Amino acid sequence: MYSVDPDNTLALINIQYSAGNLFFTRFAPMQSVLSIKGLTKQFGRIRAVDNLNLEIQPGTVFGLLGPNGSGKTTTLGMITSVIHPTSGEFLWFGKKPEDEDRKKVGAIIEAPLFVPYLTGIQNLKNVADIKGVDHSVIDDMLAFAGLEGRGVDKFKTYSLGMKQRLAIAAAMISSPEVLILDEPTNGLDPQGIADIRELIRRVAAQGTTIILASHLLDEVQRVCSHVAILRKGKTVFSGMVDELTGKRIVEVAAADMNTLKDVLGKFHNVADIKMEDGHWVFSTTQSLDAAALNKHLAGEGIYVTHLVQRSLSLEQGFLEKLNEA
């Protein structure tokens, strides 16, 4: 069987069993789907993107995060050749983009654009003609996007969520290797957000690499494997989502809070103790053994009245990285 290397440094690992023993062979390094090197965009006095460097590997769902004005949409505009960079370069599939490479990339930048008075089917036929795709795939694309039975309705009658799903169907109509989405859930109600989230998961399950810009951190945490955080056009973090959410946060309280803090400071893997809402809150890189902590504190004559452990959310990790920058 085959497995993707967890560090994304190798293409595949071939795992075999023979005579009760495990053997594996590592293949050549994985070629990045997208490599961004020193990418910069200047609009007059404003530097929207500043010397950006990123590597995106095949099969990942890569989230671009950042506050408004951080350069997310400008970056997507440059890598789709809608915006011309001031300097730097980007490589698709290891080389400068050519027409054949661009056909491997489907993109929805900002609002989906369709002809309002045409039906969903007619709009998809137009897209298929532009991309040189046979019309026979349209019914499958409508079904994939959850729009069965609505293809005969005019686009102007669609809800915002349906319009977004039709846009994803259009972007996927040529079976691209990469799908680029800019704020795909912007303006949607909770049901619409859930529908788009599920559609993104289905696209990713096909092995399509997804590059997703969003400000909804909870949604990014649900669907993305990797993220980059941008601030004022610069990268302040790039890596796996788990690197931002792997830290554990513990809340603890006792009758004698001063002594509790002193004792906590001597317990292993405890860092950054601070007071929040009447509790001492600290972080640890490992799951805390609550029984061991209770035993340690009891041995010091301290009996806790509150003990809660939780994982760091993507929002908390995101804000930490912004504050560090």
Side-chain angles (χ1 to χ4, degrees):
M1 64 180 177
Y2 295 90
S3 173
V4 176
D5 178 57
D7 296 324
N8 292 306
T9 56
L10 306 163
L12 291 172
I13 300 175
N14 182 19
I15 304 173
Q16 299 178 326
Y17 291 88
S18 178
N21 295 316
L22 175 66
F23 299 91
F24 64 90
T25 303
R26 292 188 170 188
F27 294 94
M30 183 183 292
Q31 173 67 63
S32 296
V33 165
L34 174 64
S35 180
I36 297 176
K37 302 178 180 179
L39 202 59
T40 298
K41 181 60 184 179
Q42 192 89 18
F43 293 104
R45 295 181 300 167
I46 299 173
R47 181 161 291 192
V49 176
D50 189 1
N51 193 34
L52 187 65
N53 297 282
L54 286 177
E55 296 287 335
I56 299 179
Q57 305 297 338
T60 57
V61 182
F62 197 101
L64 283 180
L65 305 179
N68 290 336
S70 60
K72 302 187 300 295
T73 297
T74 302
T75 297
L76 296 186
M78 286 190 286
I79 65 175
T80 53
S81 300
V82 174
I83 298 174
H84 185 71
T86 302
S87 61
E89 65 175 4
F90 59 94
L91 307 177
W92 282 112
F93 313 102
K95 58 182 180 178
K96 292 186 177 181
E98 301 173 351
D99 288 344
E100 286 304 311
D101 299 312
R102 293 187 179 94
K103 291 179 181 178
K104 300 177 184 178
V105 180
I108 307 171
I109 307 297
E110 297 184 335
L113 298 177
F114 293 102
V115 181
Y117 58 83
L118 295 182
T119 67
I121 290 175
Q122 290 170 328
N123 273 296
L124 288 184
K125 283 182 178 179
N126 288 341
V127 174
D129 290 342
I130 292 170
K131 296 188 176 183
V133 177
D134 193 271
H135 291 181
S136 61
V137 305
I138 289 176
D139 286 343
D140 289 339
M141 286 296 99
L142 288 170
F144 180 76
L147 293 172
E148 305 99 319
R150 295 302 307 268
V152 295
D153 297 326
K154 292 182 179 180
F155 178 76
K156 66 181 180 181
T157 68
Y158 285 8
S159 68
L160 184 57
M162 291 172 61
K163 291 176 179 178
Q164 197 70 343
R165 281 184 277 150
L166 187 70
I168 293 177
M172 291 295 294
I173 203 166
S174 59
S175 301
E177 295 182 29
V178 182
L179 177 63
I180 298 174
L181 302 172
D182 185 18
E183 302 285 359
T185 58
N186 197 25
L188 299 184
D189 59 22
Q191 183 59 55
I193 291 173
D195 291 342
I196 296 299
R197 181 200 312 145
E198 181 58 29
L199 186 52
I200 290 171
R201 285 173 174 164
R202 284 159 57 191
V203 172
Q206 297 180 344
T208 305
T209 302
I210 299 175
I211 303 171
L212 165 68
S214 180
H215 65 279
L216 297 180
L217 301 182
D218 182 59
E219 289 306 309
V220 169
Q221 186 168 357
R222 288 170 184 251
V223 300
C224 291
S225 58
H226 295 70
V227 294
I229 298 175
L230 307 185
R231 182 182 183 186
K232 296 181 180 179
K234 295 183 178 181
T235 310
V236 298
F237 172 84
S238 180
M240 297 183 70
V241 170
D242 288 349
E243 294 179 48
L244 287 176
T245 60
K247 187 185 293 185
R248 303 282 181 167
I249 302 298
V250 181
E251 300 175 0
V252 61
D256 188 345
M257 293 292 282
N258 290 331
T259 304
L260 173 60
K261 182 182 181 182
D262 292 338
V263 175
L264 284 174
K266 300 174 184 176
F267 195 73
H268 61 85
N269 296 321
V270 170
D272 303 323
I273 303 174
K274 57 186 177 182
M275 176 64 71
E276 288 185 6
D277 299 325
H279 308 126
W280 289 121
V281 178
F282 62 87
S283 61
T284 174
T285 55
Q286 300 179 3
S287 180
L288 183 75
D289 186 335
L293 178 59
N294 263 323
K295 182 178 179 180
H296 175 72
L297 294 174
E300 298 289 335
I302 299 172
Y303 297 93
V304 300
T305 58
H306 175 88
L307 178 59
V308 173
Q309 181 179 196
R310 66 180 188 273
S311 295
L312 194 70
S313 69
L314 182 58
E315 180 180 4
Q316 290 168 315
F318 169 79
L319 292 175
E320 279 192 6
K321 291 298 179 182
L322 287 184
N323 290 334
E324 290 172 3

